[in-house]
Amino acid sequence: MPEPRGSSARPFDPITFGVSAAVTAAFVLWAVVAPTSFSDTINAVFSWTTTQWGWLYLLTAFLLVVASFLLLVTDLGKMRLGRPDDRPEFSNFSWFAMLFGAAIAAGIIFWGPAEPAYHYMTPPPYFGGAAKTPEAAANAMTQSFFHWGLSAWAIYLMLTVPLAHACYTKDLPFRFSSAFYYVLGDRIFGVWGKVLDIFAVFATLGGLATTTGLVALQMKSGIQFAYGFDVGTVGTYAIIGVLTAVFTLAVYTGLEKGVKLLADWRMYATIAVWLFVFLVGPTRYFMDLFTNSLGQYLQNFLGLSLYTEPGAAEKWIGAWTVFYWAWWMSWAPFVAMFIARISKGRTIRQTVAATLILPTLADFLWYAVIGGAGIHWDVTQTIADHGVESAIFAIARHLPLTQVLTVGLVVLVGVFVLTSANSAAMALAMFVSGHETPSRNLRAFWGIALGGVAAVLAGTGSLKAIQTASIATAFPLMFLLLAVIYGTFRGLSRYRREMTTDTVTQRAA
């Protein structure tokens, strides 16, 4: 019997591993040696993609939402990500905790209180109106709901479904390129497949290393803002070192022991912080703001999805909405790989619910309370003086047990990053090996690589340039996602017909 295509005696593909590592090293070296040149070039590329192609980013995200709901409501949703007798590996809680943490990192901790307050201070053009009014508060929350709602999660979902289905039913290797099997067929085993996998490694390593470094700098700023103590550059390196050691150990021990444990405790901590602010803060205001903003979001979803701000000289949409869509797309390869890995045995309908509906609702609840607190206590001046990283700590000053809450928030931010870094290291190991469970040493290597790159970039001050570079990779991925929509429905429909034919044949026999 031939060996399944997903298996291999080699621990990793030397071409994918070598080229992707070399490309990433070259970009980091460029950022270190010539940071001005690197930053100018990357900013120019990103500006061109967002201004000239912003309309396509918006259309792509909207089509992904439509496709996601078609998977939910049609008979395709009954299909299983795996063989008919495959069953889930993780409990519902752990499954959701892992995928939620992998996909958003510490984003909701920093942007949760900061983005609504920013839009409250400077109303988005879609809504307009005067700043710092009750209407501005509702519109600010609605805009934040939009940026962290269905569109973001649909980007992840529509890569997850074809990847998981192809790997578990066709015995394909666990690589990013396998998501395109229903588009390219067996050509994913050739040059095109390697190009896709190298692209995924670069985007993941650059994006997550940058996030680790940025969060370390933000944790440093948070400590300084809250306690007046500057830990300095050495402290930044120490934070990165601790984060790297913990997530490398977690990914080395494996999903069940390491990543699952971190994800579960992070979810418990997030719920505890949310409940504390909800109950101690202006609860009635939070409920009013959530209900009103949810209604406005549902009413304006189509308009927000396709609003291009025509005729405006300075494109607010490019700096906010298009930037967000590009950022979600740059994260999509590793997030989809990780969610696919933990979703074996789930139906497509369950996966849509857990990757699209529930995370959107969770984001809305978090923003309505934490972001609502930022608006209620007006942290806009703090943001202007100390940056967005200070917003959550400014809110803590209005609550009881401020010092305890501040420490808890710093720890929570770190755990969020650890969850995403664990997921990224696992996905990177799968990209270059094709194995469902890569070797421990390979997983540990990518964990150390993420921390090492983050430390180098933090020391050079080039983190934001690298972040923009990783987001620029979303431009080709946008076209790949459009191809995936077509391939997913074609591949799933064909597989269902094959299974139906086989069932009929067996019954006849």
Side-chain angles (χ1 to χ4, degrees):
M1 181 177 178
E3 191 176 31
R5 286 179 287 184
S7 63
S8 172
R10 295 184 303 184
F12 58 84
D13 184 301
I15 296 178
T16 304
F17 179 86
V19 174
S20 57
V23 170
T24 303
F27 266 81
V28 173
L29 185 62
W30 183 12
V32 172
V33 174
T36 302
S37 169
F38 180 83
S39 179
D40 290 345
T41 301
I42 292 303
N43 285 333
V45 171
F46 182 73
S47 177
W48 177 78
T49 60
T50 55
T51 55
Q52 299 299 319
W53 295 90
W55 60 272
L56 188 56
Y57 277 102
L58 297 176
L59 273 175
T60 300
F62 177 69
L63 291 174
L64 290 168
V65 173
V66 173
S68 298
F69 275 100
L70 286 176
L71 289 178
L72 179 69
V73 301
T74 64
D75 286 343
L76 294 177
K78 300 177 182 178
M79 297 174 63
R80 196 171 295 277
L81 297 178
R83 307 290 184 185
D85 57 346
D86 285 338
R87 291 298 179 265
E89 181 180 358
F90 303 99
S91 68
N92 290 337
F93 181 85
S94 294
W95 178 47
F96 178 74
M98 286 191 286
L99 72 85
F100 185 72
I104 60 172
I108 62 170
I109 305 296
F110 286 103
W111 288 111
E115 184 178 349
Y118 188 92
H119 297 325
Y120 176 60
M121 179 175 55
T122 56
Y126 180 84
F127 293 105
K132 295 191 176 184
T133 63
E135 292 77 14
N139 294 337
M141 190 58 65
T142 302
Q143 189 72 57
S144 299
F145 277 15
F146 177 62
H147 287 157
W148 292 79
L150 296 172
S151 305
W153 291 96
I155 293 170
Y156 298 146
L157 174 70
M158 287 307 297
L159 264 181
T160 297
V161 170
L163 178 60
H165 191 268
C167 288
Y168 288 126
T169 64
K170 303 292 185 181
D171 292 324
L172 298 185
F174 268 81
R175 296 192 179 107
F176 175 67
S177 55
S178 294
F180 299 88
Y181 178 76
Y182 296 134
V183 179
L184 298 174
D186 286 341
R187 282 174 290 182
I188 66 168
F189 299 108
V191 174
W192 283 111
K194 293 189 184 301
V195 170
L196 288 169
D197 292 330
I198 291 168
F199 164 79
V201 172
F202 168 71
T204 300
L205 187 59
L208 262 295
T210 305
T211 299
T212 303
L214 283 174
V215 166
L217 294 175
Q218 290 170 329
M219 291 176 71
K220 167 190 171 184
S221 298
I223 293 171
Q224 183 176 1
F225 175 78
Y227 301 107
F229 177 67
D230 186 1
V231 299
T233 303
V234 174
T236 302
Y237 287 137
I239 292 171
I240 293 175
V242 171
L243 291 174
T244 301
V246 175
F247 68 64
T248 299
L249 178 62
V251 79
Y252 180 82
T253 59
L255 282 173
E256 181 64 34
K257 294 181 179 179
V259 180
K260 175 183 175 296
L261 182 63
L262 273 177
D264 286 354
W265 281 104
R266 179 201 51 75
M267 185 61 71
Y268 293 137
T270 303
I271 294 172
V273 169
W274 184 87
L275 280 174
F276 181 76
V277 179
F278 176 73
L279 295 174
V280 176
T283 305
R284 170 70 180 276
Y285 178 76
F286 295 150
M287 295 304 300
D288 286 345
L289 189 60
F290 170 79
T291 304
N292 186 84
S293 300
L294 178 61
Q296 284 195 180
Y297 172 77
L298 296 174
Q299 182 180 4
N300 291 278
F301 178 76
L302 181 60
L304 285 166
S305 296
L306 303 178
Y307 178 66
T308 60
E309 199 180 358
E314 295 293 331
K315 290 286 189 179
W316 184 96
I317 294 296
W320 281 95
T321 304
V322 175
F323 181 88
Y324 266 126
W325 289 183
W327 185 236
W328 304 138
M329 290 178 188
S330 73
W331 272 46
F334 98 83
V335 172
M337 174 64 73
F338 182 76
I339 297 177
R341 169 61 184 84
I342 64 175
S343 299
K344 183 177 182 179
R346 301 283 178 176
T347 65
I348 292 176
R349 187 163 293 152
Q350 287 175 329
T351 306
V352 173
T355 311
L356 181 72
I357 308 299
L358 291 181
T360 295
L361 180 60
D363 282 348
F364 288 0
L365 289 171
W366 178 268
Y367 267 73
V369 172
I370 307 302
I375 292 174
H376 179 77
W377 286 310
D378 194 358
V379 298
T380 55
Q381 189 59 49
T382 301
I383 293 174
D385 294 341
H386 301 281
V388 296
E389 61 270 21
S390 63
I392 189 69
F393 301 106
I395 290 172
R397 289 187 171 181
H398 292 274
L399 294 165
L401 304 174
T402 299
Q403 297 300 319
V404 175
L405 183 59
T406 299
V407 172
L409 288 169
V410 171
V411 173
L412 184 59
V413 169
V415 175
F416 260 106
V417 176
L418 291 174
T419 307
S420 290
N422 288 334
S423 311
M426 178 68 74
L428 284 165
M430 288 191 284
F431 288 156
V432 301
S433 70
H435 294 301
E436 181 179 350
T437 305
S439 70
R440 289 184 172 185
N441 291 337
L442 189 61
R443 301 197 304 259
F445 169 82
W446 286 113
I448 294 171
L450 283 170
V453 173
V456 171
L457 297 177
T460 63
S462 302
L463 280 164
K464 291 186 178 180
I466 293 287
Q467 183 184 40
T468 305
S470 65
I471 294 173
T473 61
F475 182 63
L477 187 56
M478 176 171 57
F479 297 96
L480 294 175
L481 285 167
L482 290 172
V484 160
I485 294 175
Y486 163 74
T488 299
F489 285 94
R490 184 183 69 167
L492 293 178
S493 298
R494 179 180 299 174
Y495 182 81
R496 184 175 60 176
R497 288 195 300 270
E498 292 172 353
M499 293 296 293
T500 301
T501 301
D502 291 344
T503 301
V504 171
T505 301
Q506 291 172 3
R507 288 177 178 175

